[in-house]
Structure formats: C-alpha cells, structure tokens
Amino acid sequence: MDNDARPPAVTATPLVLAPARQTVAAAGAPATLYPPAGTRSRAAFAHCYQQQLTPVIRFIMRNGASPHEAADIAQSTFVLAYEAWDAIEHAPAWLRRVAYRQLLKVRRAKEHPYAVLPDLPGGGCPMAAVELGEQEARVYEALSWLPARQREVMAWTFDGFSPAEIAQELSIEPAAVRQSLARARQNLKRALGISKGGAR
C-alpha cells in the first residue's frame, strides 16, 4: 500500500438502532468479505472505510461519546487501521476494540471534541451520517445512563455481535455478557418508559 494515500470520502448511510445480524451484514462487517491478512489492497481498505465508518461512529456514541467526539475518534481509529491494515484479521471487531480504547484515552485525558470537524475530501463529513431523530436521541441518552459494562455490551449487540463474539472481544465469559445484556435491556426499558405491554 502507498503510505501517502488518504482514506476515501464517506458515503452517508442511515442510522439504524435495531440490533440484528443484518446490521453487520449491511455494514460489510463479516470477516469473510475481507481478504486474508497480508493480501489486502488499498481498494479493500477503501471498501472497509466506506462501509464501517458510520457504524463505528454509532458504536462509539452508544458508549457515551458525543457525535463530534465519536466522529473524531472514528477518524483516528481508521488512521491506525490503515497503518496496521495488512495485519488485521477481522476488521469490524478490530475497529471497535481500538475505537473503544481511543474513547477511554480521550476520557482519561479529559480532551474536548472539536467544535467543527473539517469536511473529508470529496465534500463528505461523517457527522452528516449520524444526525439523530427524536426517538434515536432518546435511546442514545438512555444508553448513557447505563453502567459502563452494560453500555459496552449493548453497543456491540446493536452492531450484531453475538454474546459469544462479544465475550471473546472483551475477554470475559459469555455468561457475564448475557447477564449484562439482560440487565441493560431491563434498564433501557425502564429509562424509556417501555412496559411489558409495549409503548409508554
């Protein structure tokens, strides 16, 4: 790969909150879609960037980051991904692991997000893809009230990862993931005013 290449412009994709395996498929996330490590090209990275940038921003937002902060962290994560691209085995999971670590660094350093993010080459800006509607904003606000582990597990679940996959990525037991997930769902329903009968 050329070292001076820049990530391509982003094509905005709609924000989807429903946790389902098709969410990952739509984002081009399955590892089988990516060539083996050591054989990837600039085109493969460009495809990953275009398909995964918005989902990664949403993932970081679900972990409590503001939209601007999440967009900034996602861009930094892809810079790191470009540098390590040939060694990355499973890009979607790698991106989320690294993005979460970047978020923790930002929190520890108490850095503030940029007030305005510059447009990417081609006129696109990642913020355009993560504008939240009223209902979506309520969900994201409710996620911010969850304990950190519950919020983290829900963020992975929203992106279509199974409890077993989440356990592997977070180095915890699948039973712990399922427990956190069950508690997170209960807390979200309470926060959103959703009863067993349905809507508030």
Side-chain angles (χ1 to χ4, degrees), residues 9 12 17 24 37 41-42 53 58 67 70 79 92 99 120 123 133 143 160 186 194:
L17 286 176
V24 177
S41 64
R42 278 182 60 189
L53 179 61
R58 293 200 309 262
V79 170
L120 294 172
L143 283 169
Q186 291 174 354
I194 300 174

Side-chain angles (χ1 to χ4, degrees), residues 28-88:
T32 54
L33 294 183
Y34 294 97
T39 64
R40 298 181 185 144
S41 64
R42 278 182 60 189
F45 177 83
H47 173 76
C48 177
Y49 181 86
Q50 291 175 341
Q51 296 298 319
Q52 286 292 311
L53 179 61
T54 297
V56 169
I57 293 174
R58 293 200 309 262
F59 175 82
I60 304 167
M61 289 173 63
R62 293 182 190 123
N63 275 289
S66 70
H68 286 287
E69 187 178 44
D72 194 34
I73 290 171
Q75 292 284 36
S76 298
T77 299
F78 272 96
V79 170
L80 296 174
Y82 188 78
E83 294 172 352
W85 183 241
D86 285 344
I88 296 174

Side-chain angles (χ1 to χ4, degrees), residues 28-158:
T32 54
L33 294 183
Y34 294 97
T39 64
R40 298 181 185 144
S41 64
R42 278 182 60 189
F45 177 83
H47 173 76
C48 177
Y49 181 86
Q50 291 175 341
Q51 296 298 319
Q52 286 292 311
L53 179 61
T54 297
V56 169
I57 293 174
R58 293 200 309 262
F59 175 82
I60 304 167
M61 289 173 63
R62 293 182 190 123
N63 275 289
S66 70
H68 286 287
E69 187 178 44
D72 194 34
I73 290 171
Q75 292 284 36
S76 298
T77 299
F78 272 96
V79 170
L80 296 174
Y82 188 78
E83 294 172 352
W85 183 241
D86 285 344
I88 296 174
E89 294 288 347
H90 187 284
W94 187 96
L95 290 166
R96 285 157 178 79
R97 285 198 308 271
V98 173
Y100 187 74
R101 287 200 295 266
Q102 293 293 312
L103 174 60
L104 294 181
K105 287 181 181 178
V106 167
R107 287 173 175 168
R108 283 195 297 266
K110 297 182 179 180
E111 294 177 354
H112 298 285
Y114 294 112
V116 178
L117 287 176
D119 287 344
L120 294 172
C125 177
M127 291 303 301
V130 291
E131 294 178 359
L132 302 179
E134 181 179 350
Q135 182 178 2
E136 293 166 338
R138 285 184 61 228
V139 172
Y140 277 66
E141 182 181 5
L143 283 169
S144 71
W145 299 337
L146 296 178
R149 176 63 79 188
Q150 293 180 21
R151 186 170 59 239
E152 186 179 13
V153 168
M154 283 300 297
W156 283 91
T157 301
F158 272 120

Side-chain angles (χ1 to χ4, degrees), residues 156-178:
W156 283 91
T157 301
F158 272 120
D159 279 359
F161 289 83
S162 70
E165 291 169 331
I166 297 170
Q168 181 178 356
E169 297 301 332
L170 302 184
S171 299
I172 59 178
E173 293 296 322
V177 172
R178 288 190 289 269

